[in-house]
Amino acid sequence: MRFAVYLPNCMHVAAITQPWEHELTGLEIAGVAKRAEQLGYSMVFLPEHFLTPRGHLELSGNHYFDATTAQAFIAGATSTIRIGSMVTILPLHNPVIAAKSIATLDWFSGGRAQVTIGVGWLKEEYDVIGVPFTKRGRITDEYLAAMFELWGSDSPSFDGEFVKFNDVAFGPKPIQQPRPVVWMGGDADAVLRRAARFGDGWAPWLTKPDELPAKIDYLRSQPGFDDRPFSVFYSLAVLSIGEQHAIVEDSRAHYGQSAQQVIDTCGRLAELGVTDTWVNPPPLDDFNAYLDHMQWVAEEVIPKVG
């Protein structure tokens, strides 16, 4: 199993963000990524939103970044660790510009870009940006196909409902070929079908642990899945979060207090098909305690699970 780190102070979601995070600067967040790299974590990642309706502020907050811009900053502060999003809300981006931004990140980072594609859930966010919310799934599928064409073809062309280009050139290509690593985030059957067709991995959000095997089986049975290497990311942290970022009191939302409890929990997740996880910390007093927890997981858990 591989272990990732969700970078702190990249969202202010009431269910999981801790108060001390709010004071962290960009340099301190980059420092977390550098420390994760030194400790042997596989990836760091961060979320994305562009605006928050005031009715959602209490639970969702308004502290989010443009994912690719933030990933580029983190990539510049690190050398080897993968830099991921969780998630990039693809329908809210122009696909040609998104393809260029992600390829740029991959090129400058030496092939460390990773994106988790999501369709989002905030209709108001779509309305303000001018993208039809009810078409977001179709838009995502077409945008992905167009981006893959730009990344992989020497003479890219595409003729779709939402994207059209021909007689163009696109470079530099991403370092990773045929493309940067792409995961799909979400829980609906449409997400699983999209992951089977386009993805290198799947990251659920509202799925419960005992639901994972059936959903993984469904994904692998879909057209387009070809038994390629495939990741399944799952963290118990999601058990604290309900729909629209509601706070959920679930005793299973933490991995355990002792190293052996965490190791056993990771083993159970692996038996369910999970390949990547984030051991979310318990409530902590400050940033130093968070760094200590990262080091504790790296020293006491990862060598015995990974």
Side-chain angles (χ1 to χ4, degrees):
M1 181 176 283
R2 294 178 296 265
F3 288 79
V5 170
Y6 209 123
L7 291 174
N9 202 30
C10 290
M11 64 179 180
H12 291 173
V13 172
I16 61 172
T17 303
Q18 300 198 30
W20 54 265
E21 293 185 41
H22 294 220
E23 304 304 318
L24 296 184
T25 66
L27 288 176
E28 287 171 321
I29 296 169
V32 172
K34 287 192 283 188
R35 187 65 181 135
E37 182 174 84
Q38 294 164 356
L39 291 170
Y41 286 86
S42 64
M43 179 179 70
V44 295
F45 54 88
L46 48 89
E48 172 177 88
H49 274 294
F50 297 100
L51 50 80
T52 307
R54 289 205 168 271
H56 291 281
L57 278 177
E58 182 178 358
L59 293 177
S60 299
N62 66 349
H63 182 86
Y64 298 91
F65 301 105
D66 172 86
T68 311
T69 303
Q71 287 172 268
F73 179 79
I74 300 300
T78 55
S79 302
T80 58
I81 198 166
R82 300 194 67 79
I83 314 296
S85 65
M86 188 75 74
V87 299
T88 298
I89 309 174
L90 185 58
L92 299 182
H93 294 263
N94 178 288
V96 176
I97 295 174
K100 176 62 72 172
S101 298
I102 295 165
T104 299
L105 168 63
D106 198 62
W107 194 91
F108 272 98
S109 68
R112 294 187 288 134
Q114 182 164 326
V115 292
T116 305
I117 299 299
V119 300
W121 57 275
L122 276 172
K123 181 179 183 299
E124 297 93 331
E125 191 173 24
Y126 274 78
D127 292 344
V128 170
I129 296 174
V131 177
F133 184 73
T134 58
K135 296 181 180 180
R136 67 194 189 282
R138 287 163 47 202
I139 291 171
T140 298
D141 288 344
E142 189 169 299
Y143 281 13
L144 284 166
M147 291 164 66
F148 283 18
E149 174 72 6
L150 289 167
W151 288 335
S153 174
D154 291 332
S155 300
S157 64
F158 196 86
D159 185 13
E161 179 182 357
F162 307 104
V163 193
K164 297 178 187 294
F165 51 79
N166 189 32
D167 196 26
V168 299
F170 181 95
K173 302 294 187 186
I175 297 293
Q176 299 178 84
Q177 283 296 313
R179 61 178 180 276
V181 174
V182 176
W183 290 358
M184 302 301 159
D187 305 275
D189 286 351
V191 173
L192 299 174
R193 293 191 294 269
R194 185 172 300 121
R197 179 182 174 190
F198 294 107
D200 304 298
W202 171 53
W205 186 250
L206 298 175
T207 297
K208 305 305 180 188
D210 57 1
E211 299 170 344
L212 287 168
K215 291 201 170 192
I216 294 170
D217 286 346
Y218 177 80
L219 188 159
R220 291 179 175 274
S221 71
Q222 297 307 300
F225 191 82
D226 53 8
D227 289 326
R228 60 192 177 274
F230 195 86
S231 302
V232 176
F233 175 89
Y234 192 85
S235 172
L236 296 185
V238 300
L239 297 174
S240 298
I241 309 171
E243 292 186 8
Q244 300 184 5
H245 291 160
I247 299 172
V248 177
E249 298 294 338
D250 192 319
S251 61
R252 302 171 297 168
H254 292 289
Y255 282 68
Q257 296 182 347
S258 71
Q260 191 59 53
Q261 287 175 327
V262 179
I263 291 165
D264 292 344
T265 300
C266 291
R268 286 193 292 272
L269 289 177
E271 290 172 357
L272 296 173
V274 175
T275 62
D276 297 74
T277 195
W278 167 49
V279 179
N280 54 303
L284 301 171
D285 291 334
D286 55 31
F287 184 37
N288 286 331
Y290 171 83
L291 296 175
D292 289 344
H293 180 265
M294 278 180 54
Q295 182 165 344
W296 178 77
V297 171
E299 293 178 349
E300 302 296 331
V301 176
I302 292 178
K304 299 174 184 177
V305 178

